[in-house]
Amino acid sequence: MGAVEGGRVGEIVVLRHGQTEWSKGGRHTGLTDLALLPEGEEQARALRPKLGSRGFAEVWVSPLQRAGRTAELAGLAPTGADPDLVELDYGGYEGRTTAEISAELGREWSIWADSTVPGETPGESLDQVAERVDRVLDRARARLSDGDVALVAHGHVLRVLTARWLGLPPQAGALFALPAAAYGVLGHEHSRPVLTGWALT
């Protein structure tokens, strides 16, 4: 579905960037500004037939290059870069895998249940991410009467955003696994926010 027709309220399309070297290896990639791998670029191009012709009132991207490049290759024309769409700041866990962190702690670690630790950056809690994405959702809702809104960003921030769209706590983002270069659709049913599509490629 494209732009609003016949009074239809628009939908929010959330798109995770294509594969990078770190995402391929399971390394947490927060504020590190990595480029897409060639396969990540191919993943993004493959989305063009599904997303490139869809009518968007807004296309907002994370300021990090992997998001902007994914939008471009998928046929989306960004209307703005939104700093609230950057990935979760992993702090001292930046660039590390869950297995490495768990081995260091001597127990299973999860971003959904445990905090980050300071490193070169302070780190960020899920509640702090929720504050950011709530602002994004407020801005997006204001545009849905004019058409669909695309948000091109990162795995964890988009999973928290999806949880918040559904009225759930940010920890519920654990339920919404989103592979590289996959997208989801956030819509309405009888005026209630719902998930209408997920992990689509």
Side-chain angles (χ1 to χ4, degrees), residues 76-95:
L76 305 178
T79 56
D82 191 336
D84 283 334
L85 285 174
V86 297
E87 181 59 298
L88 188 152
D89 177 1
Y90 298 106
Y93 294 148
E94 179 80 0

Side-chain angles (χ1 to χ4, degrees), residues 14-18 43 47 158 177-184 198-201:
V14 296
L15 170 60
R16 183 182 174 189
H17 63 79
Q43 290 172 326
L47 294 169
L158 291 177
L178 189 62
Y183 68 96
W198 195 252
L200 305 171
T201 56

Side-chain angles (χ1 to χ4, degrees), residues 7-94:
R8 181 184 74 83
V9 176
E11 298 174 312
I12 298 174
V13 174
V14 296
L15 170 60
R16 183 182 174 189
H17 63 79
Q19 198 79 276
T20 68
E21 181 181 353
W22 282 15
S23 64
K24 185 174 184 177
R27 298 169 67 184
H28 294 297
T29 318
L31 305 183
T32 303
D33 200 7
L34 296 179
L36 297 179
L37 289 172
E39 66 190 83
E41 294 194 345
E42 286 303 312
Q43 290 172 326
R45 287 190 190 95
L47 294 169
R48 185 178 286 260
K50 295 184 178 180
L51 298 179
S53 61
R54 185 168 179 147
F56 287 106
E58 299 284 356
V59 176
W60 298 333
V61 300
S62 159
L64 300 176
Q65 64 173 311
R66 57 192 185 270
R69 182 66 172 151
T70 296
E72 174 191 345
L73 294 172
L76 305 178
T79 56
D82 191 336
D84 283 334
L85 285 174
V86 297
E87 181 59 298
L88 188 152
D89 177 1
Y90 298 106
Y93 294 148
E94 179 80 0

Side-chain angles (χ1 to χ4, degrees), residues 67-157:
R69 182 66 172 151
T70 296
E72 174 191 345
L73 294 172
L76 305 178
T79 56
D82 191 336
D84 283 334
L85 285 174
V86 297
E87 181 59 298
L88 188 152
D89 177 1
Y90 298 106
Y93 294 148
E94 179 80 0
R96 306 184 65 192
T97 68
T98 294
E100 289 170 347
I101 299 165
S102 297
E104 179 180 286
L105 296 176
R107 61 175 177 81
E108 185 175 350
W109 176 87
S110 167
I111 193 63
W112 304 109
D114 301 298
S115 62
T116 59
V117 295
E120 292 186 11
T121 58
E124 192 174 25
S125 70
L126 293 179
D127 288 338
Q128 289 173 312
V129 177
E131 289 178 11
R132 292 199 275 116
V133 299
D134 283 350
R135 293 193 294 264
V136 175
L137 288 172
D138 285 344
R139 293 191 288 270
R141 287 186 189 99
R143 298 294 284 127
L144 292 180
S145 60
D146 297 317
D148 299 333
V149 173
L151 306 176
V152 187
H154 316 275
H156 283 140
V157 70

